[in-house]
Amino acid sequence: MSNQDQRPVYMDHAATTFTKPEVLAAMEPYFSRYFGNPSSLYRFAGEPRKGVEAARGQVAAALGATPGEIYFCAGGSEADNWAIKGVALANHKRGDHIVTTAIEHHAVLHTCEWLEKQGFSVTYLPVDKFGRVDPGEVEEAITGRTILVSVMAANNEIGTVQPIARIGKIARDRGVLFHTDAVQAVGAVPIDVDAMGIDLLSLSAHKFYGPKGIGALYVRRGSRLENLVHGGGQERGRRAGTENVPGIVGLGRAIELATADIEGHNRRLAAMRDRLIRGVLDAIPDSRLNGHPTERLANNANFSFRYVEGESILLMLDARGIAASTGSACSSASLEPSHVLLATGLPHEEAHGSLRLTLGDANSEEDVDYVLEVLPDVIGRLRQISPLTPPAGKKVQEAE
Ligand SMILES: *Cc1c(COP(=O)(O)O)cnc(C)c1O
């Protein structure tokens, strides 16, 4: 059986997703018939304005928030920057300390590192070997100077889901604002900002079958937050710039679709994921699963293969039509192993041999079959030419 003449197999849904036809259809009129600037006073502005406000309602409904707490922006990175810099700048008279984790997305980590250069202090909490944050350590890290706790809802590399509600309760009890990067969680984990004690939440449409370059920041009413993008009075004076109306409409439709049946969606993905994980670990010696055995995103499988190099795996898979990732998509241009895998205690060598396969609506059981056919062969070939592979006959060390 060969898949090579068929469509390629896309297993990198954590990097981005295709835009669903229903989403594209909802967006289309806002490029043409309803092209007006929503801030204008004439009738051309009416439909665009209605489209934006309907989308605000859809996003609010998906999070258990109110429409007045939703602010559209250019995506997950901007939402993370806005939440963290905005809280830091608005609250610096009260305190200068931020608590986050070692496994955040670079949009959070690099923002915190920048704030350190501006005089803030940041605690980067460790995680256990499965990538979980201990809520007790969040509690211990909070001081009288702490103004923000920022912990991602689900990790983009290893798929580990964090105990967000417990962390939210701790932050609330201590009177500290709680931000969560939920870019990977929306559509995968049910979210209720009140039940989870969330004050600020970042999301991005292109991670749940919406368009790229559009996202939103949820801000609990009354939270002290400085603006990030200055200019016109859009978004109730909080985020300047003419609205990306088609993008906003697409985001609204996409989040509605993504949260309509999270359980059913997860059931389908988890069945494929578990077959993939079992198949890979059974067929390939010296392989291990990274991330949490159960508290993980339904679409995420992340492996380490000893004696081989992640980039070589990607190239050989690509040659056979399979799109995957090693660590974060953003880090694939650098030679440093993933900060997330290192934080789980994985040695450099094994972090270098990592492979992330993230399933989604583009995948079928046949895709899983095809990967299970190709991957053992790819790893076998790479090990044959790898100087790290122990000589034949010598028993290799059992992987954990
Ligand atoms: C993709 C991603 C981001 C960045 O979102 P963009 O919309 O691409 O800027 C931030 N955090 C996490 C966890 C992500 O997966």
Side-chain angles (χ1 to χ4, degrees), residues 26 40 62-63 70 91 170 179 186 221 224 253 289 297 378:
S40 304
L63 304 176
I70 305 300
N91 296 278
I170 288 164
H179 166 250
V186 170
R221 197 176 302 282
R224 292 163 61 94
R253 185 73 180 113
L289 177 72
L297 293 173
V378 163

Side-chain angles (χ1 to χ4, degrees), residues 75-77 80 105 152 156 181 183-184 204 206-207:
S77 298
D80 285 340
H105 189 275
M152 70 197 319
N156 47 302
D181 174 340
V183 173
Q184 291 290 333
S204 178
H206 77 101
K207 301 292 176 78

